[in-house]
Amino acid sequence: MQVIPRSIYDEEHIMFKKSLEEFVQKELVPHNTQWEKDQMVSRESWLKLGENGYLVMQAPEEYGGLAIDDFRYNAIFTEVLSQAGLAGPAVGYPLHNDIVAPYILHYGSKATLEKYVPKMISGEMILAIAMTEPGAGSDLQGIRTTAEDKGDHYLVNGSKTFITNGYLADLVVVAVKTNPALGAKGISLLVMEADAEGFSKGQPFEKVGLHAQDTCELFFDNVQVPKENLLGGEGEGFKYLMTELAQERLVVGLGAIGAAEGVLRETIQYVQDRQAFGKSIGKFQNTRFKIAEMSTDIAMGRVFADHCLALHNKKELDAATASMIKYRLTDMQCDIADEGVQLHGGYGYIWEYQVARSWADARVQRIYAGTNEIMKELIARKFLGK
Ligand SMILES: Cc1cc2nc3c(=O)[nH]c(=O)nc-3n(C[C@H](O)[C@H](O)[C@H](O)COP(=O)(O)OP(=O)(O)OC[C@H]3O[C@@H](n4cnc5c(N)ncnc54)[C@H](O)[C@@H]3O)c2cc1C
């Protein structure tokens, strides 16, 4: 559903979007209900995405990538999946492409790139990122997972929780303390293979929404990680996280506006079909005003989202603006999903209806990738300092 004309995409983007929409309808939508029951998407879906060139499109050609340095393609990927109401896939696949892969591509050693990037592109290796721990989420400096220097390798001990793609993951970027005495400056990032000895996973959590997403705990019991799997420099992890989190927040904002558009489309259809008091409920003034409000909010959100996307393509999206899109558009997504449920009446509360799923799926968007309260703190810092 396009509520306003958009000028952000060229002809080639529009063609890419069209063929992706066909792929999504044919290869993903028919499986989503089963994936919700399984609490994860299938491995085959990852391989299909890989075969069709939808994974890590930005990777250099020498590793088999398409070297696409235009984030509008990545944005279309998130937009199309979110608009289709595929909330689980719309979180897990972009996390692989836009949130985890950049750490490996930007900070990985040559050995790491050669070993892993081709399989990240083909879908043979699924990626996750593990920062949050049972005792530390917003306050990342408080993580307790340690990586002890043992000469040619690190010895990792600790645990992580709420990890997206965690159950299926083959490769995980893990935030560890290489020097616990140094706080943020003691944090490093390691690439860990999930089949390493001492690495284990919990069962996927039973979540309120995102049922097709395998979110789980990870445990490290004396896991040996080769030194070449350190990303960038030791003690630089926190700095890298702060650099890369802007893109993560943009992606969450883009997912939010896409999902809100999906809810609007479903709701417009429903209120035109549903009859009450001898007419369609779309004829009642309240319904008309709600659709007017929802579409206006989406139009404003879309303008801001496209603005942020354009800034990001010029490498000019700063932390505060990325926090604005994440906070505002996820709040809006929740409001729109709630209005959508209300306009569906009782059917809006039935899982079979897309709007019910969209409502449940929306809620976590205000929590992960940095809570919206933390986003407000980051925005305020720009204007008021720390
Ligand atoms: C479905 C799902 C998927 C996730 N995926 C991942 C993943 O892939 N990788 C990963 O590492 N993590 C992931 N997370 C974790 C997520 O990022 C954290 O849950 C989030 O950052 C909040 O941390 P917390 O749960 O420890 O809450 P807390 O930090 O304990 O926060 C609790 C409350 O206190 C508020 N609060 C905390 N500090 C402040 C402050 N300074 N000012 C104002 N309010 C504050 C918070 O806003 C929140 O309302 C996921 C979580 C979920 C639910």
Side-chain angles (χ1 to χ4, degrees), residues 69-72 74 98 243-248 250-251 254 305-318 322:
D69 184 23
D70 179 350
F71 203 73
R72 287 175 291 180
N74 307 57
D98 307 329
T243 309
E244 303 292 334
L245 279 172
Q247 179 160 302
E248 173 167 355
L250 171 66
V251 171
L254 294 173
D306 285 350
H307 169 72
C308 289
L309 181 53
L311 280 180
H312 190 56
N313 245 2
K314 290 190 281 175
K315 316 234 177 306
E316 289 173 10
L317 183 70
D318 64 22

Short mmCIF file of all heavy atoms in Angstrom, two decimals, residues 69-72 74 98 243-248 250-251 254 305-318 322:
data_model
loop_
_atom_site.label_atom_id
_atom_site.label_comp_id
_atom_site.label_asym_id
_atom_site.label_seq_id
_atom_site.Cartn_x
_atom_site.Cartn_y
_atom_site.Cartn_z
N ASP A 69 26.23 -1.34 -3.40
CA ASP A 69 26.44 -0.31 -2.37
C ASP A 69 25.30 0.71 -2.46
O ASP A 69 25.52 1.88 -2.72
CB ASP A 69 27.81 0.35 -2.61
CG ASP A 69 28.13 1.36 -1.52
OD1 ASP A 69 27.56 1.25 -0.43
OD2 ASP A 69 28.94 2.27 -1.79
N ASP A 70 24.10 0.25 -2.32
CA ASP A 70 22.91 1.11 -2.40
C ASP A 70 21.89 0.51 -1.45
O ASP A 70 21.25 -0.50 -1.75
CB ASP A 70 22.38 1.12 -3.84
CG ASP A 70 21.13 1.97 -3.98
OD1 ASP A 70 20.56 2.40 -2.96
OD2 ASP A 70 20.71 2.21 -5.14
N PHE A 71 21.73 1.13 -0.28
CA PHE A 71 20.90 0.55 0.77
C PHE A 71 19.41 0.54 0.41
O PHE A 71 18.60 -0.09 1.10
CB PHE A 71 21.14 1.27 2.11
CG PHE A 71 20.79 0.42 3.29
CD1 PHE A 71 21.60 -0.65 3.66
CD2 PHE A 71 19.63 0.65 4.02
CE1 PHE A 71 21.26 -1.47 4.73
CE2 PHE A 71 19.29 -0.16 5.10
CZ PHE A 71 20.11 -1.22 5.45
N ARG A 72 19.05 1.21 -0.68
CA ARG A 72 17.64 1.19 -1.08
C ARG A 72 17.18 -0.22 -1.41
O ARG A 72 16.03 -0.59 -1.20
CB ARG A 72 17.41 2.13 -2.27
CG ARG A 72 17.48 3.60 -1.86
CD ARG A 72 17.38 4.53 -3.03
NE ARG A 72 18.57 4.46 -3.88
CZ ARG A 72 18.74 5.18 -4.98
NH1 ARG A 72 17.80 6.01 -5.37
NH2 ARG A 72 19.86 5.08 -5.68
N ASN A 74 18.29 -2.96 0.08
CA ASN A 74 18.08 -3.60 1.39
C ASN A 74 16.76 -3.12 1.99
O ASN A 74 16.01 -3.89 2.60
CB ASN A 74 19.22 -3.26 2.35
CG ASN A 74 20.58 -3.57 1.75
OD1 ASN A 74 20.93 -3.07 0.69
ND2 ASN A 74 21.34 -4.41 2.40
N ASP A 98 21.59 -7.05 7.14
CA ASP A 98 21.87 -5.63 7.40
C ASP A 98 22.40 -5.36 8.79
O ASP A 98 22.86 -4.25 9.07
CB ASP A 98 20.57 -4.80 7.23
CG ASP A 98 19.91 -5.04 5.89
OD1 ASP A 98 20.65 -5.31 4.93
OD2 ASP A 98 18.67 -4.96 5.82
N THR A 243 28.79 2.32 16.19
CA THR A 243 28.84 2.73 14.79
C THR A 243 27.76 2.02 13.97
O THR A 243 27.07 2.62 13.16
CB THR A 243 30.23 2.38 14.19
OG1 THR A 243 31.22 2.90 15.05
CG2 THR A 243 30.40 2.92 12.79
N GLU A 244 27.61 0.71 14.19
CA GLU A 244 26.73 -0.09 13.34
C GLU A 244 25.27 -0.04 13.78
O GLU A 244 24.38 -0.39 13.00
CB GLU A 244 27.20 -1.55 13.30
CG GLU A 244 28.64 -1.74 12.83
CD GLU A 244 28.87 -1.41 11.35
OE1 GLU A 244 27.90 -1.52 10.57
OE2 GLU A 244 30.00 -1.02 10.99
N LEU A 245 25.02 0.37 15.02
CA LEU A 245 23.63 0.33 15.51
C LEU A 245 22.71 1.30 14.78
O LEU A 245 21.51 1.10 14.74
CB LEU A 245 23.59 0.58 17.03
CG LEU A 245 23.92 -0.66 17.89
CD1 LEU A 245 24.05 -0.29 19.36
CD2 LEU A 245 22.90 -1.78 17.73
N ALA A 246 23.27 2.35 14.15
CA ALA A 246 22.41 3.29 13.42
C ALA A 246 21.68 2.56 12.30
O ALA A 246 20.48 2.75 12.07
CB ALA A 246 23.24 4.45 12.86
N GLN A 247 22.42 1.69 11.60
CA GLN A 247 21.77 0.95 10.49
C GLN A 247 20.71 -0.01 11.03
O GLN A 247 19.64 -0.17 10.44
CB GLN A 247 22.83 0.18 9.69
CG GLN A 247 22.22 -0.62 8.54
CD GLN A 247 23.24 -0.98 7.47
OE1 GLN A 247 23.87 -0.11 6.90
NE2 GLN A 247 23.37 -2.25 7.18
N GLU A 248 21.00 -0.64 12.18
CA GLU A 248 20.02 -1.55 12.78
C GLU A 248 18.73 -0.79 13.10
O GLU A 248 17.63 -1.25 12.85
CB GLU A 248 20.61 -2.17 14.07
CG GLU A 248 19.60 -2.98 14.86
CD GLU A 248 20.21 -3.86 15.95
OE1 GLU A 248 21.45 -3.91 16.03
OE2 GLU A 248 19.44 -4.49 16.69
N LEU A 250 17.63 2.01 11.77
CA LEU A 250 16.97 2.37 10.51
C LEU A 250 16.15 1.17 10.01
O LEU A 250 14.98 1.33 9.63
CB LEU A 250 18.02 2.77 9.46
CG LEU A 250 17.49 2.96 8.03
CD1 LEU A 250 16.53 4.16 7.95
CD2 LEU A 250 18.65 3.16 7.04
N VAL A 251 16.75 0.00 10.03
CA VAL A 251 16.07 -1.20 9.51
C VAL A 251 14.80 -1.48 10.33
O VAL A 251 13.75 -1.81 9.77
CB VAL A 251 17.02 -2.42 9.54
CG1 VAL A 251 16.28 -3.71 9.23
CG2 VAL A 251 18.15 -2.22 8.53
N LEU A 254 12.21 1.00 9.25
CA LEU A 254 11.68 0.67 7.92
C LEU A 254 10.71 -0.51 8.01
O LEU A 254 9.68 -0.54 7.32
CB LEU A 254 12.82 0.34 6.95
CG LEU A 254 13.78 1.49 6.60
CD1 LEU A 254 14.96 0.99 5.77
CD2 LEU A 254 13.05 2.60 5.86
N ALA A 305 10.91 8.25 6.78
CA ALA A 305 11.67 7.02 6.52
C ALA A 305 12.51 7.19 5.25
O ALA A 305 13.69 6.83 5.22
CB ALA A 305 10.73 5.83 6.39
N ASP A 306 11.90 7.72 4.20
CA ASP A 306 12.64 7.91 2.94
C ASP A 306 13.77 8.93 3.13
O ASP A 306 14.85 8.78 2.56
CB ASP A 306 11.69 8.35 1.82
CG ASP A 306 10.83 7.19 1.30
OD1 ASP A 306 11.11 6.03 1.68
OD2 ASP A 306 9.89 7.44 0.51
N HIS A 307 13.51 9.94 3.95
CA HIS A 307 14.54 10.94 4.25
C HIS A 307 15.74 10.26 4.95
O HIS A 307 16.89 10.47 4.57
CB HIS A 307 13.94 12.03 5.14
CG HIS A 307 14.93 12.96 5.75
ND1 HIS A 307 15.60 13.91 5.02
CD2 HIS A 307 15.37 13.07 7.04
CE1 HIS A 307 16.42 14.57 5.84
NE2 HIS A 307 16.29 14.09 7.05
N CYS A 308 15.44 9.42 5.94
CA CYS A 308 16.52 8.72 6.68
C CYS A 308 17.26 7.76 5.75
O CYS A 308 18.49 7.64 5.83
CB CYS A 308 15.94 7.94 7.86
SG CYS A 308 15.37 9.00 9.19
N LEU A 309 16.52 7.12 4.87
CA LEU A 309 17.14 6.18 3.92
C LEU A 309 18.10 6.94 2.99
O LEU A 309 19.23 6.48 2.74
CB LEU A 309 16.02 5.49 3.13
CG LEU A 309 16.39 4.46 2.08
CD1 LEU A 309 17.31 3.38 2.64
CD2 LEU A 309 15.12 3.82 1.53
N ALA A 310 17.66 8.09 2.52
CA ALA A 310 18.52 8.90 1.64
C ALA A 310 19.77 9.36 2.40
O ALA A 310 20.89 9.32 1.88
CB ALA A 310 17.75 10.10 1.10
N LEU A 311 19.58 9.79 3.65
CA LEU A 311 20.74 10.20 4.47
C LEU A 311 21.71 9.03 4.64
O LEU A 311 22.92 9.19 4.51
CB LEU A 311 20.28 10.62 5.88
CG LEU A 311 19.70 12.01 6.08
CD1 LEU A 311 19.32 12.19 7.55
CD2 LEU A 311 20.70 13.08 5.66
N HIS A 312 21.15 7.86 4.92
CA HIS A 312 21.99 6.68 5.15
C HIS A 312 22.77 6.32 3.89
O HIS A 312 23.93 5.92 3.97
CB HIS A 312 21.13 5.51 5.61
CG HIS A 312 21.94 4.35 6.10
ND1 HIS A 312 22.87 4.46 7.10
CD2 HIS A 312 21.98 3.04 5.71
CE1 HIS A 312 23.44 3.28 7.32
NE2 HIS A 312 22.93 2.41 6.48
N ASN A 313 22.14 6.46 2.75
CA ASN A 313 22.83 6.15 1.49
C ASN A 313 23.99 7.10 1.24
O ASN A 313 24.93 6.76 0.54
CB ASN A 313 21.84 6.20 0.32
CG ASN A 313 21.67 4.83 -0.31
OD1 ASN A 313 22.24 3.85 0.13
ND2 ASN A 313 20.89 4.77 -1.37
N LYS A 314 23.90 8.30 1.85
CA LYS A 314 25.02 9.26 1.72
C LYS A 314 25.97 9.13 2.92
O LYS A 314 26.84 9.98 3.11
CB LYS A 314 24.47 10.69 1.67
CG LYS A 314 23.72 11.02 0.38
CD LYS A 314 23.42 12.51 0.28
CE LYS A 314 22.23 12.88 1.13
NZ LYS A 314 21.90 14.29 1.20
N LYS A 315 25.73 8.11 3.77
CA LYS A 315 26.52 7.88 4.99
C LYS A 315 26.42 9.07 5.96
O LYS A 315 27.37 9.45 6.61
CB LYS A 315 27.99 7.56 4.66
CG LYS A 315 28.19 6.60 3.52
CD LYS A 315 29.07 5.42 3.89
CE LYS A 315 29.26 4.39 2.79
NZ LYS A 315 28.08 3.83 2.20
N GLU A 316 25.23 9.68 6.00
CA GLU A 316 25.05 10.86 6.86
C GLU A 316 23.99 10.66 7.95
O GLU A 316 23.54 11.62 8.56
CB GLU A 316 24.65 12.07 5.99
CG GLU A 316 25.78 12.56 5.12
CD GLU A 316 25.34 13.65 4.14
OE1 GLU A 316 24.20 14.15 4.26
OE2 GLU A 316 26.15 13.96 3.24
N LEU A 317 23.56 9.42 8.15
CA LEU A 317 22.53 9.19 9.18
C LEU A 317 23.22 9.11 10.55
O LEU A 317 23.98 8.20 10.81
CB LEU A 317 21.79 7.87 8.89
CG LEU A 317 20.65 7.53 9.85
CD1 LEU A 317 19.46 8.48 9.66
CD2 LEU A 317 20.19 6.09 9.66
N ASP A 318 22.95 10.10 11.41
CA ASP A 318 23.62 10.08 12.71
C ASP A 318 22.79 9.29 13.74
O ASP A 318 21.65 8.90 13.47
CB ASP A 318 23.91 11.50 13.20
CG ASP A 318 22.65 12.32 13.46
OD1 ASP A 318 21.57 11.74 13.67
OD2 ASP A 318 22.75 13.57 13.46
N ALA A 322 18.75 8.25 13.63
CA ALA A 322 18.42 6.81 13.56
C ALA A 322 17.54 6.43 14.75
O ALA A 322 16.61 5.62 14.61
CB ALA A 322 19.70 5.98 13.56
#
